[in-house]
């Protein structure tokens, strides 16, 4: 199991992750089987907990979008 420290990612990074759902938190939540409030909180905090990354990547693939774990990781200078 991969473990990564929590970080805040820039909105543009989150936008790329949310893009398969047309930036709609409710649509993403539905595909993940989560309450909408959970996904909306990720966006407001600028943080998606690592335990959800694999499920997000898989759900995006079912929509024809390729996401990679590296997209969830902070870029140099954006951590923290």
């Amino acid at each position: 199991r991969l473990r990564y420290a929590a970080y805040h990612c820039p909105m543009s990074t989150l936008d790329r992750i949310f893009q398969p759902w047309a930036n709609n938190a409710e649509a993403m939540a539905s595909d993940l089987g989560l309450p909408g409030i959970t996904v909306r909180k990720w966006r407001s905090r600028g943080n998606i907990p690592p335990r959800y990354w694999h499920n997000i990547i898989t759900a995006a693939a079912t929509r024809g979008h390729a996401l990679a774990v590296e997209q969830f990781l902070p870029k140099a200078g954006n951590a923290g």
Side-chain angles (χ1 to χ4, degrees):
R1 191 164 249 214
L2 296 173
R3 293 213 180 263
Y4 298 99
Y7 70 95
H8 295 280
C9 50
M11 190 56 73
S12 61
T13 299
L14 281 179
D15 286 345
R16 284 191 299 272
I17 292 168
F18 277 75
Q19 198 274 328
W21 296 273
N23 292 311
N24 182 312
E26 294 296 325
M28 179 190 250
S30 177
D31 281 2
L32 297 172
L34 296 170
I37 188 70
T38 301
V39 176
R40 289 192 307 273
K41 284 183 178 181
W42 297 344
R43 182 174 290 231
S44 68
R45 285 193 312 254
N47 176 282
I48 298 173
R51 69 180 172 268
Y52 296 106
W53 296 355
H54 176 74
N55 291 342
I56 293 169
I57 291 166
T58 301
T62 66
R63 289 179 167 257
H65 293 265
L67 294 178
V69 168
E70 293 78 17
Q71 291 175 273
F72 293 80
L73 299 172
K75 304 280 188 263
N78 289 343

